[in-house]
Amino acid sequence: DTEVTQTPKHLVMGMTNKKSLKCEQHMGHRAMYWYKQKAKKPPELMFVYSYEKLSINESVPSRFSPECPNSSLLNLHLHALQPEDSALYLCASSQRLAGGLLSTGELFFGEGSRLTVL
Amino acid sequence: AQTVTQSQPEMSVQEAETVTLSCTYDTSESDYYLFWYKQPPSRQMILVIRQEAYKQQNATENRFSVNFQKAAKSFSLKISDSQLGDAAMYFCAYMPKIIFGKGTRLHILP
């Protein structure tokens, strides 16, 4: 199994809603990532978890709250989002992080969750 | 700070022809990895090819090969015998800092 599965594929929410994005991998990877991608732009790193601990938070607003319940699952909780948060949210995993907390290996990406904030 | 530059926002190539996508990077590190990722219109980003900086030999994967010039900090991707399925955004990436270039959109002309 070399898949990273993301749900839902599409999500529309209002600015007062609370929703969650989910990501799952069964490759035994111990590093998991959330990226935000706007149209025709590269992915922007948001969070990195290593061995279920938050390793990197790229100054993301607190309305985005990541959670890593176990080594296979990664969630992104959304609350009080703004229309400019509308984007494709990509989850990725890699085998491990290097000693400096950053990846040296291949990232496996999910198909993404397309989020629209009204 | 490390940077990755893709200077070609869009490129087009005739089916069955060869095309080269450019990528340059800047780093003071001696040990790092470089990747080319492909993101078709269906969205999922997939790895095309990887290169370890300590390896002098250029990586190849079937129709995809790289020209890695470490001294020049250049990492171009050559696609031979282009196929319609090669149409996608291509991102050059640097690890371990996890930096992506801005991408090159590749169009394949029938």
Side-chain angles (χ1 to χ4, degrees):
Chain A
D1 185 357
T2 58
E3 283 191 350
V4 175
T5 304
Q6 289 188 244
T7 56
K9 289 195 182 340
H10 299 274
L11 178 63
V12 179
M13 60 186 291
M15 290 190 284
T16 58
N17 291 158
K18 284 186 182 181
K19 298 285 185 184
S20 296
L21 306 180
K22 297 186 184 303
C23 175
E24 191 168 359
Q25 57 88 14
H26 294 288
M27 294 178 279
H29 289 174
R30 303 311 299 270
M32 296 186 76
Y33 310 74
W34 280 116
Y35 284 88
K36 174 183 178 181
Q37 187 178 28
K38 290 280 202 179
K40 300 183 180 180
K41 299 289 187 184
E44 298 172 28
L45 184 64
M46 299 175 72
F47 303 103
V48 182
Y49 273 83
S50 175
Y51 290 87
E52 296 93 76
K53 287 185 170 44
L54 184 63
S55 297
I56 297 175
N57 177 343
E58 293 285 353
S59 303
V60 178
S62 60
R63 57 186 183 269
F64 294 92
S65 175
E67 179 196 20
C68 191
N70 59 55
S71 60
S72 300
L73 292 174
L74 185 66
N75 298 322
L76 185 62
H77 302 299
L78 314 170
H79 174 53
L81 295 192
Q82 304 296 310
E84 60 264 29
D85 296 322
S86 298
L88 182 67
Y89 288 84
L90 294 169
C91 174
S93 70
S94 64
Q95 209 164 30
R96 62 174 178 86
L97 294 187
L101 298 182
L102 297 171
S103 173
T104 59
E106 175 186 353
L107 296 177
F108 290 79
F109 285 88
E111 289 192 19
S113 293
R114 173 77 61 191
L115 173 67
T116 303
V117 182
L118 301 177
Chain B
Q2 294 88 351
T3 59
V4 175
T5 302
Q6 292 180 249
S7 58
Q8 305 150 316
E10 288 196 60
M11 294 190 73
S12 296
V13 63
Q14 211 74 35
E15 198 176 358
E17 296 294 310
T18 295
V19 63
T20 299
L21 309 184
S22 301
C23 173
T24 58
Y25 60 96
D26 191 20
T27 183
S28 57
E29 304 293 326
S30 58
D31 188 19
Y32 51 88
Y33 296 73
L34 295 165
F35 299 84
W36 279 99
Y37 282 90
K38 169 186 177 182
Q39 189 176 34
S42 61
R43 307 181 306 192
Q44 188 165 22
M45 192 100 73
I46 56 175
L47 179 70
V48 175
I49 200 164
R50 63 178 278 166
Q51 175 80 43
E52 290 88 343
Y54 63 86
K55 289 187 177 179
Q56 292 189 343
Q57 188 171 7
N58 289 326
T60 62
E61 286 287 341
N62 301 314
R63 298 182 294 107
F64 298 87
S65 61
V66 298
N67 184 2
F68 175 48
Q69 303 287 329
K70 191 172 183 179
K73 295 179 182 172
S74 170
F75 181 62
S76 60
L77 174 69
K78 186 170 85 170
I79 306 174
S80 303
D81 185 25
S82 297
Q83 300 175 0
L84 294 177
D86 295 333
M89 279 289 283
Y90 287 82
F91 293 100
C92 178
Y94 169 97
M95 306 286 176
K97 190 62 177 170
I98 318 179
I99 300 172
F100 285 87
K102 291 188 175 181
T104 296
R105 179 164 296 281
L106 180 64
H107 303 278
I108 310 296
L109 306 174

